[in-house]
Amino acid sequence: MMGSGKTTVGKILSGVLGYSFFDCDTLIEQSVDGTSVAEIFKLYGEGFFREKETEVLQKLSLMRQLVVSTGGGAVTRPINWRYMQKGISVWLDVPLEALAQRIAAVGTDSRPLLHQCESGDAYTEALNRLSTLWEERGEAYANANARVSLENIAVKLGHKDVSSLTPVTIAIEALEQIEGFLKEEDDMAIAGY
């Protein structure tokens, strides 16, 4: 989901792994003459943006040794999953309340799917819109190869909530989840599945 820390954690993972890092939104902006994602939505609509996103994912799927941060809506198109499955997909599972707090703190101007909200307090608006997006996308996120639950990390480390978790802590958990996925894949291959 938007605001989950995909870009921040992705950059950490790419550094640790020695891989290149690509942010889909940045690549889409570059492909539309530097137009921001918010402006792309405003000028051309979400459908145009999603087409550009698919084009970017298709190109990236041909490359190796890279970490890609996708937009939160990339999971809604089955074709995108075909491209994302060329690698290992990781879902940063952040509680909606924590996402709403993060987004309300920085504003919604750069987040076109939240910028459409009615007037009211920023947290409530963000939470309501995120809840709707979650209903639309939740099952798709669950298709990821690895799930990084910030709630589980917080419990494991004895934190009261997820807001105190650092991006490095989240990246470490992502690496552990990726390792678990790869071990499971190896075990299945050995078993002949």
Side-chain angles (χ1 to χ4, degrees):
M1 288 281 274
M2 64 182 79
S4 64
K6 297 179 300 289
T7 298
T8 302
V9 173
K11 286 179 179 178
I12 294 168
L13 290 174
S14 70
V16 168
L17 296 168
Y19 287 7
S20 299
F21 175 79
F22 293 95
D23 182 284
C24 277
D25 286 354
T26 300
L27 295 174
I28 293 165
E29 289 173 343
Q30 291 170 356
S31 77
V32 188
D33 301 320
T35 308
S36 72
V37 169
E39 281 296 305
I40 292 170
F41 268 74
K42 190 172 158 183
L43 295 171
Y44 307 107
E46 184 177 0
F48 176 86
F49 176 83
R50 297 290 169 217
E51 284 297 324
K52 290 290 183 186
E53 186 172 56
T54 298
E55 289 172 19
V56 165
L57 287 170
Q58 189 272 328
K59 289 175 186 168
L60 292 171
S61 74
L62 302 173
M63 301 167 68
R64 298 291 170 258
Q65 293 190 329
L66 55 127
V67 173
V68 177
S69 172
T70 67
V75 300
T76 62
R77 299 183 88 189
I79 184 97
N80 291 346
W81 277 107
R82 215 170 73 212
Y83 300 133
M84 290 188 288
Q85 294 298 333
K86 303 269 179 159
I88 300 169
S89 56
V90 177
W91 167 27
L92 298 181
D93 184 6
V94 182
L96 295 182
E97 297 79 9
L99 292 175
Q101 286 174 339
R102 291 178 186 179
I103 291 166
V106 297
T108 61
D109 289 348
S110 66
R111 303 196 183 275
L113 292 178
L114 293 183
H115 198 56
Q116 307 165 3
C117 296
E118 311 96 38
S119 60
D121 80 275
Y123 171 80
T124 302
E125 287 179 16
L127 183 60
N128 289 340
R129 186 63 182 128
L130 287 167
S131 296
T132 300
L133 290 172
W134 173 252
E135 287 177 27
E136 296 168 3
R137 301 174 178 176
E139 282 184 36
Y141 291 133
N143 289 323
N145 301 121
R147 174 180 173 242
V148 177
S149 166
L150 271 64
E151 286 182 325
N152 290 351
I153 300 169
V155 167
K156 185 166 64 172
L157 298 176
H159 293 265
K160 289 183 179 175
D161 64 51
V162 301
S163 63
S164 60
L165 299 176
T166 67
V168 170
T169 300
I170 297 164
I172 290 168
E173 180 67 18
L175 289 168
E176 290 174 3
Q177 294 299 321
I178 292 167
E179 181 181 43
F181 168 74
L182 292 172
K183 183 177 179 346
E184 200 175 285
E185 290 282 294
D186 282 347
D187 291 348
M188 288 177 67
I190 291 168
Y193 290 104

